[in-house]
Amino acid sequence: MDSSDVNDRRLERLAMAETFDPRLWAQHMTSSAHGGFIGMRYRDHGDIWIELEFDWRADLVGDPETGVLASGPIISLLDNATSMSVWTRLGKFRPQVTLDLRIDYTRAASPGKPIVARAECYQLRRSMAFVRGIAHDGDISDPVAHAAGIFLAVDGPEWIK
Amino acid sequence: MTSTDLPPYARAMGMAIVGTDNGSPVIAMDFAPRAMGRPGFLHGGAIGGVLEMAGFAALAAELERQGNPARIKPINISTEYLRSGLPETIYARGEVVRAGRRVANVRIEAWQADRDRPVASCWMNFQLKTP
């Protein structure tokens, strides 16, 4: 059995759990695959919100002249954080896919600083969840990006191949 | 970036320019675990990253044709995820709708084996800064 099988089984266990543990889920989601590549980490969570972060890294840069991060990793962080905010609010995992995600880049991220995303599920319905999030590099009142999106609930078999 | 030179993030994710279609570079990214989200599928952020790179490249190519030396900065992106991204190569190409003096609007589409079945599409707005 290779490590990806072990990861898949751990994910299955987390998905079947009666309650949603944001810290455990984030540890899993960020230990391999794309979250692992970006270096995402769990930071904090509340009733309907969660915070994830990742460190600045040279190979995540979008503009080599300035050292400013590419926006791709920021999309990934906001996608994961907004997605997890739904399960945080629900208190349970529910399979879902991203229907749409809009991101406004409000300023360039400062080179060298970690990026924090704080995301919340502001409306939860049976078939979909409405989310928003802010990415910043130390001061949430001076954000680098703002996100709004919708997740669509799907059947379990559609979710995991 | 220029229309032929990808930044470190794109190279680290395995993106490459594999051709040009009607004046816009086509970006490809081979599947690898570093691009995977839920098991067996591409991560929405990785798909967004490919879309954005195709948007930048399309706009850079258009500005080069115009002889416009402006630097480009993304203002925003709005992505619709149309189908699940499969563990195989993904392609993206942008179309510059308008490149004005201060702002440019670009539409981008991503697809996999079948170009007529897009995986995701988005629009992006860019700020143009003339040096």
Side-chain angles (χ1 to χ4, degrees), chain A residues 48-73:
Chain A
I48 63 165
W49 60 268
I50 184 162
E51 283 182 356
L52 302 179
E53 64 184 339
F54 72 89
D55 289 331
W56 182 95
R57 228 169 58 212
D59 64 345
L60 299 180
V61 161
D63 184 350
E65 277 177 41
T66 58
V68 170
L69 283 171
S71 38

PDB file of all heavy atoms in Angstrom, chain A residues 48-73:
ATOM      1  N   ILE A  48     -18.404  29.684  12.314  1.00  0.00           N
ATOM      2  CA  ILE A  48     -18.683  29.619  10.873  1.00  0.00           C
ATOM      3  C   ILE A  48     -17.464  30.019  10.052  1.00  0.00           C
ATOM      4  O   ILE A  48     -17.574  30.265   8.846  1.00  0.00           O
ATOM      5  CB  ILE A  48     -19.885  30.521  10.478  1.00  0.00           C
ATOM      6  CG1 ILE A  48     -19.569  32.008  10.756  1.00  0.00           C
ATOM      7  CG2 ILE A  48     -21.149  30.103  11.207  1.00  0.00           C
ATOM      8  CD1 ILE A  48     -20.552  32.966  10.068  1.00  0.00           C
ATOM      9  N   TRP A  49     -16.303  30.129  10.689  1.00  0.00           N
ATOM     10  CA  TRP A  49     -15.123  30.595   9.944  1.00  0.00           C
ATOM     11  C   TRP A  49     -13.896  29.739  10.238  1.00  0.00           C
ATOM     12  O   TRP A  49     -13.834  29.025  11.241  1.00  0.00           O
ATOM     13  CB  TRP A  49     -14.837  32.073  10.243  1.00  0.00           C
ATOM     14  CG  TRP A  49     -14.558  32.362  11.696  1.00  0.00           C
ATOM     15  CD1 TRP A  49     -15.486  32.720  12.634  1.00  0.00           C
ATOM     16  CD2 TRP A  49     -13.299  32.291  12.371  1.00  0.00           C
ATOM     17  NE1 TRP A  49     -14.870  32.889  13.842  1.00  0.00           N
ATOM     18  CE2 TRP A  49     -13.531  32.636  13.719  1.00  0.00           C
ATOM     19  CE3 TRP A  49     -11.997  31.985  11.976  1.00  0.00           C
ATOM     20  CZ2 TRP A  49     -12.505  32.668  14.674  1.00  0.00           C
ATOM     21  CZ3 TRP A  49     -10.980  32.020  12.922  1.00  0.00           C
ATOM     22  CH2 TRP A  49     -11.240  32.369  14.259  1.00  0.00           C
ATOM     23  N   ILE A  50     -12.942  29.837   9.335  1.00  0.00           N
ATOM     24  CA  ILE A  50     -11.681  29.126   9.512  1.00  0.00           C
ATOM     25  C   ILE A  50     -10.556  29.956   8.902  1.00  0.00           C
ATOM     26  O   ILE A  50     -10.791  30.737   7.970  1.00  0.00           O
ATOM     27  CB  ILE A  50     -11.742  27.714   8.870  1.00  0.00           C
ATOM     28  CG1 ILE A  50     -10.452  26.944   9.139  1.00  0.00           C
ATOM     29  CG2 ILE A  50     -12.051  27.773   7.382  1.00  0.00           C
ATOM     30  CD1 ILE A  50     -10.558  25.456   8.947  1.00  0.00           C
ATOM     31  N   GLU A  51      -9.361  29.793   9.456  1.00  0.00           N
ATOM     32  CA  GLU A  51      -8.185  30.467   8.896  1.00  0.00           C
ATOM     33  C   GLU A  51      -7.128  29.436   8.509  1.00  0.00           C
ATOM     34  O   GLU A  51      -6.789  28.553   9.300  1.00  0.00           O
ATOM     35  CB  GLU A  51      -7.568  31.437   9.912  1.00  0.00           C
ATOM     36  CG  GLU A  51      -8.344  32.734  10.046  1.00  0.00           C
ATOM     37  CD  GLU A  51      -7.696  33.707  11.034  1.00  0.00           C
ATOM     38  OE1 GLU A  51      -6.677  33.338  11.673  1.00  0.00           O
ATOM     39  OE2 GLU A  51      -8.220  34.819  11.174  1.00  0.00           O
ATOM     40  N   LEU A  52      -6.610  29.573   7.284  1.00  0.00           N
ATOM     41  CA  LEU A  52      -5.480  28.780   6.807  1.00  0.00           C
ATOM     42  C   LEU A  52      -4.391  29.747   6.375  1.00  0.00           C
ATOM     43  O   LEU A  52      -4.681  30.916   6.101  1.00  0.00           O
ATOM     44  CB  LEU A  52      -5.882  27.909   5.611  1.00  0.00           C
ATOM     45  CG  LEU A  52      -7.023  26.912   5.763  1.00  0.00           C
ATOM     46  CD1 LEU A  52      -7.250  26.198   4.429  1.00  0.00           C
ATOM     47  CD2 LEU A  52      -6.728  25.897   6.865  1.00  0.00           C
ATOM     48  N   GLU A  53      -3.151  29.258   6.283  1.00  0.00           N
ATOM     49  CA  GLU A  53      -2.070  30.144   5.840  1.00  0.00           C
ATOM     50  C   GLU A  53      -0.999  29.358   5.100  1.00  0.00           C
ATOM     51  O   GLU A  53      -0.970  28.130   5.167  1.00  0.00           O
ATOM     52  CB  GLU A  53      -1.435  30.868   7.043  1.00  0.00           C
ATOM     53  CG  GLU A  53      -0.748  29.928   8.016  1.00  0.00           C
ATOM     54  CD  GLU A  53      -0.211  30.647   9.260  1.00  0.00           C
ATOM     55  OE1 GLU A  53      -0.010  31.863   9.218  1.00  0.00           O
ATOM     56  OE2 GLU A  53       0.009  29.945  10.256  1.00  0.00           O
ATOM     57  N   PHE A  54      -0.150  30.066   4.367  1.00  0.00           N
ATOM     58  CA  PHE A  54       1.058  29.459   3.794  1.00  0.00           C
ATOM     59  C   PHE A  54       2.170  30.488   3.757  1.00  0.00           C
ATOM     60  O   PHE A  54       1.913  31.695   3.776  1.00  0.00           O
ATOM     61  CB  PHE A  54       0.790  28.854   2.399  1.00  0.00           C
ATOM     62  CG  PHE A  54       0.582  29.863   1.295  1.00  0.00           C
ATOM     63  CD1 PHE A  54       1.660  30.348   0.556  1.00  0.00           C
ATOM     64  CD2 PHE A  54      -0.694  30.302   0.965  1.00  0.00           C
ATOM     65  CE1 PHE A  54       1.460  31.276  -0.475  1.00  0.00           C
ATOM     66  CE2 PHE A  54      -0.897  31.217  -0.056  1.00  0.00           C
ATOM     67  CZ  PHE A  54       0.182  31.709  -0.774  1.00  0.00           C
ATOM     68  N   ASP A  55       3.412  29.991   3.730  1.00  0.00           N
ATOM     69  CA  ASP A  55       4.575  30.882   3.730  1.00  0.00           C
ATOM     70  C   ASP A  55       4.943  31.312   2.315  1.00  0.00           C
ATOM     71  O   ASP A  55       4.775  30.557   1.356  1.00  0.00           O
ATOM     72  CB  ASP A  55       5.782  30.166   4.357  1.00  0.00           C
ATOM     73  CG  ASP A  55       5.605  29.996   5.861  1.00  0.00           C
ATOM     74  OD1 ASP A  55       4.929  30.832   6.482  1.00  0.00           O
ATOM     75  OD2 ASP A  55       6.154  29.012   6.396  1.00  0.00           O
ATOM     76  N   TRP A  56       5.486  32.513   2.211  1.00  0.00           N
ATOM     77  CA  TRP A  56       6.078  32.970   0.956  1.00  0.00           C
ATOM     78  C   TRP A  56       7.193  32.012   0.577  1.00  0.00           C
ATOM     79  O   TRP A  56       7.940  31.552   1.454  1.00  0.00           O
ATOM     80  CB  TRP A  56       6.647  34.381   1.139  1.00  0.00           C
ATOM     81  CG  TRP A  56       7.237  34.957  -0.110  1.00  0.00           C
ATOM     82  CD1 TRP A  56       6.610  35.774  -0.993  1.00  0.00           C
ATOM     83  CD2 TRP A  56       8.581  34.777  -0.608  1.00  0.00           C
ATOM     84  NE1 TRP A  56       7.472  36.109  -2.020  1.00  0.00           N
ATOM     85  CE2 TRP A  56       8.685  35.503  -1.814  1.00  0.00           C
ATOM     86  CE3 TRP A  56       9.694  34.060  -0.169  1.00  0.00           C
ATOM     87  CZ2 TRP A  56       9.861  35.544  -2.577  1.00  0.00           C
ATOM     88  CZ3 TRP A  56      10.870  34.090  -0.929  1.00  0.00           C
ATOM     89  CH2 TRP A  56      10.937  34.826  -2.118  1.00  0.00           C
ATOM     90  N   ARG A  57       7.309  31.699  -0.702  1.00  0.00           N
ATOM     91  CA  ARG A  57       8.380  30.818  -1.169  1.00  0.00           C
ATOM     92  C   ARG A  57       8.781  31.247  -2.570  1.00  0.00           C
ATOM     93  O   ARG A  57       7.921  31.629  -3.359  1.00  0.00           O
ATOM     94  CB  ARG A  57       7.879  29.371  -1.194  1.00  0.00           C
ATOM     95  CG  ARG A  57       8.807  28.371  -0.544  1.00  0.00           C
ATOM     96  CD  ARG A  57       8.147  27.017  -0.375  1.00  0.00           C
ATOM     97  NE  ARG A  57       7.692  26.454  -1.627  1.00  0.00           N
ATOM     98  CZ  ARG A  57       6.619  25.667  -1.725  1.00  0.00           C
ATOM     99  NH1 ARG A  57       5.905  25.352  -0.662  1.00  0.00           N
ATOM    100  NH2 ARG A  57       6.261  25.185  -2.895  1.00  0.00           N
ATOM    101  N   ALA A  58      10.083  31.147  -2.872  1.00  0.00           N
ATOM    102  CA  ALA A  58      10.588  31.642  -4.171  1.00  0.00           C
ATOM    103  C   ALA A  58       9.890  30.961  -5.345  1.00  0.00           C
ATOM    104  O   ALA A  58       9.648  31.595  -6.376  1.00  0.00           O
ATOM    105  CB  ALA A  58      12.103  31.442  -4.255  1.00  0.00           C
ATOM    106  N   ASP A  59       9.553  29.662  -5.186  1.00  0.00           N
ATOM    107  CA  ASP A  59       8.962  28.973  -6.338  1.00  0.00           C
ATOM    108  C   ASP A  59       7.453  29.218  -6.454  1.00  0.00           C
ATOM    109  O   ASP A  59       6.794  28.633  -7.311  1.00  0.00           O
ATOM    110  CB  ASP A  59       9.272  27.471  -6.313  1.00  0.00           C
ATOM    111  CG  ASP A  59       8.667  26.759  -5.122  1.00  0.00           C
ATOM    112  OD1 ASP A  59       8.250  27.446  -4.170  1.00  0.00           O
ATOM    113  OD2 ASP A  59       8.601  25.515  -5.137  1.00  0.00           O
ATOM    114  N   LEU A  60       6.899  30.079  -5.598  1.00  0.00           N
ATOM    115  CA  LEU A  60       5.479  30.451  -5.739  1.00  0.00           C
ATOM    116  C   LEU A  60       5.339  31.883  -6.272  1.00  0.00           C
ATOM    117  O   LEU A  60       4.238  32.433  -6.322  1.00  0.00           O
ATOM    118  CB  LEU A  60       4.764  30.333  -4.382  1.00  0.00           C
ATOM    119  CG  LEU A  60       4.745  28.938  -3.736  1.00  0.00           C
ATOM    120  CD1 LEU A  60       4.001  28.979  -2.403  1.00  0.00           C
ATOM    121  CD2 LEU A  60       4.111  27.906  -4.669  1.00  0.00           C
ATOM    122  N   VAL A  61       6.470  32.468  -6.671  1.00  0.00           N
ATOM    123  CA  VAL A  61       6.475  33.866  -7.103  1.00  0.00           C
ATOM    124  C   VAL A  61       5.889  34.010  -8.509  1.00  0.00           C
ATOM    125  O   VAL A  61       6.071  33.149  -9.365  1.00  0.00           O
ATOM    126  CB  VAL A  61       7.925  34.408  -7.032  1.00  0.00           C
ATOM    127  CG1 VAL A  61       8.102  35.656  -7.888  1.00  0.00           C
ATOM    128  CG2 VAL A  61       8.292  34.698  -5.583  1.00  0.00           C
ATOM    129  N   GLY A  62       5.168  35.103  -8.723  1.00  0.00           N
ATOM    130  CA  GLY A  62       4.586  35.386 -10.029  1.00  0.00           C
ATOM    131  C   GLY A  62       5.354  36.459 -10.781  1.00  0.00           C
ATOM    132  O   GLY A  62       5.282  36.550 -11.998  1.00  0.00           O
ATOM    133  N   ASP A  63       6.063  37.314 -10.031  1.00  0.00           N
ATOM    134  CA  ASP A  63       6.827  38.383 -10.660  1.00  0.00           C
ATOM    135  C   ASP A  63       8.254  38.361 -10.112  1.00  0.00           C
ATOM    136  O   ASP A  63       8.520  38.886  -9.029  1.00  0.00           O
ATOM    137  CB  ASP A  63       6.162  39.739 -10.361  1.00  0.00           C
ATOM    138  CG  ASP A  63       6.868  40.877 -11.079  1.00  0.00           C
ATOM    139  OD1 ASP A  63       7.966  40.656 -11.640  1.00  0.00           O
ATOM    140  OD2 ASP A  63       6.327  41.998 -11.077  1.00  0.00           O
ATOM    141  N   PRO A  64       9.179  37.740 -10.863  1.00  0.00           N
ATOM    142  CA  PRO A  64      10.557  37.578 -10.350  1.00  0.00           C
ATOM    143  C   PRO A  64      11.255  38.907 -10.076  1.00  0.00           C
ATOM    144  O   PRO A  64      12.153  38.969  -9.244  1.00  0.00           O
ATOM    145  CB  PRO A  64      11.271  36.819 -11.481  1.00  0.00           C
ATOM    146  CG  PRO A  64      10.212  36.313 -12.383  1.00  0.00           C
ATOM    147  CD  PRO A  64       8.994  37.161 -12.191  1.00  0.00           C
ATOM    148  N   GLU A  65      10.820  39.984 -10.762  1.00  0.00           N
ATOM    149  CA  GLU A  65      11.476  41.278 -10.549  1.00  0.00           C
ATOM    150  C   GLU A  65      11.193  41.832  -9.157  1.00  0.00           C
ATOM    151  O   GLU A  65      12.039  42.489  -8.559  1.00  0.00           O
ATOM    152  CB  GLU A  65      10.995  42.286 -11.587  1.00  0.00           C
ATOM    153  CG  GLU A  65      11.735  42.179 -12.912  1.00  0.00           C
ATOM    154  CD  GLU A  65      11.169  43.151 -13.942  1.00  0.00           C
ATOM    155  OE1 GLU A  65      10.863  44.306 -13.576  1.00  0.00           O
ATOM    156  OE2 GLU A  65      11.026  42.723 -15.099  1.00  0.00           O
ATOM    157  N   THR A  66       9.978  41.579  -8.651  1.00  0.00           N
ATOM    158  CA  THR A  66       9.591  42.159  -7.363  1.00  0.00           C
ATOM    159  C   THR A  66       9.514  41.114  -6.252  1.00  0.00           C
ATOM    160  O   THR A  66       9.491  41.462  -5.072  1.00  0.00           O
ATOM    161  CB  THR A  66       8.196  42.811  -7.470  1.00  0.00           C
ATOM    162  OG1 THR A  66       7.267  41.797  -7.883  1.00  0.00           O
ATOM    163  CG2 THR A  66       8.195  43.944  -8.476  1.00  0.00           C
ATOM    164  N   GLY A  67       9.444  39.823  -6.614  1.00  0.00           N
ATOM    165  CA  GLY A  67       9.277  38.778  -5.611  1.00  0.00           C
ATOM    166  C   GLY A  67       7.847  38.637  -5.120  1.00  0.00           C
ATOM    167  O   GLY A  67       7.577  37.925  -4.145  1.00  0.00           O
ATOM    168  N   VAL A  68       6.911  39.321  -5.790  1.00  0.00           N
ATOM    169  CA  VAL A  68       5.498  39.222  -5.393  1.00  0.00           C
ATOM    170  C   VAL A  68       4.958  37.839  -5.774  1.00  0.00           C
ATOM    171  O   VAL A  68       5.231  37.322  -6.861  1.00  0.00           O
ATOM    172  CB  VAL A  68       4.659  40.337  -6.070  1.00  0.00           C
ATOM    173  CG1 VAL A  68       3.167  40.098  -5.869  1.00  0.00           C
ATOM    174  CG2 VAL A  68       5.044  41.701  -5.503  1.00  0.00           C
ATOM    175  N   LEU A  69       4.200  37.239  -4.845  1.00  0.00           N
ATOM    176  CA  LEU A  69       3.619  35.918  -5.078  1.00  0.00           C
ATOM    177  C   LEU A  69       2.714  35.912  -6.302  1.00  0.00           C
ATOM    178  O   LEU A  69       2.051  36.912  -6.594  1.00  0.00           O
ATOM    179  CB  LEU A  69       2.772  35.502  -3.872  1.00  0.00           C
ATOM    180  CG  LEU A  69       3.495  35.007  -2.626  1.00  0.00           C
ATOM    181  CD1 LEU A  69       2.486  34.874  -1.486  1.00  0.00           C
ATOM    182  CD2 LEU A  69       4.186  33.675  -2.879  1.00  0.00           C
ATOM    183  N   ALA A  70       2.638  34.769  -6.968  1.00  0.00           N
ATOM    184  CA  ALA A  70       1.636  34.574  -8.017  1.00  0.00           C
ATOM    185  C   ALA A  70       0.270  34.542  -7.350  1.00  0.00           C
ATOM    186  O   ALA A  70       0.144  34.271  -6.154  1.00  0.00           O
ATOM    187  CB  ALA A  70       1.898  33.281  -8.770  1.00  0.00           C
ATOM    188  N   SER A  71      -0.765  34.810  -8.136  1.00  0.00           N
ATOM    189  CA  SER A  71      -2.095  34.794  -7.535  1.00  0.00           C
ATOM    190  C   SER A  71      -2.649  33.371  -7.440  1.00  0.00           C
ATOM    191  O   SER A  71      -3.555  33.121  -6.650  1.00  0.00           O
ATOM    192  CB  SER A  71      -3.038  35.701  -8.317  1.00  0.00           C
ATOM    193  OG  SER A  71      -2.783  35.616  -9.688  1.00  0.00           O
ATOM    194  N   GLY A  72      -2.082  32.434  -8.219  1.00  0.00           N
ATOM    195  CA  GLY A  72      -2.552  31.045  -8.175  1.00  0.00           C
ATOM    196  C   GLY A  72      -2.593  30.456  -6.778  1.00  0.00           C
ATOM    197  O   GLY A  72      -3.625  29.918  -6.344  1.00  0.00           O
ATOM    198  N   PRO A  73      -1.491  30.535  -6.004  1.00  0.00           N
ATOM    199  CA  PRO A  73      -1.519  29.984  -4.646  1.00  0.00           C
ATOM    200  C   PRO A  73      -2.545  30.675  -3.735  1.00  0.00           C
ATOM    201  O   PRO A  73      -3.087  30.050  -2.822  1.00  0.00           O
ATOM    202  CB  PRO A  73      -0.092  30.249  -4.134  1.00  0.00           C
ATOM    203  CG  PRO A  73       0.740  30.356  -5.366  1.00  0.00           C
ATOM    204  CD  PRO A  73      -0.145  30.976  -6.408  1.00  0.00           C
TER     205      PRO A  73
END
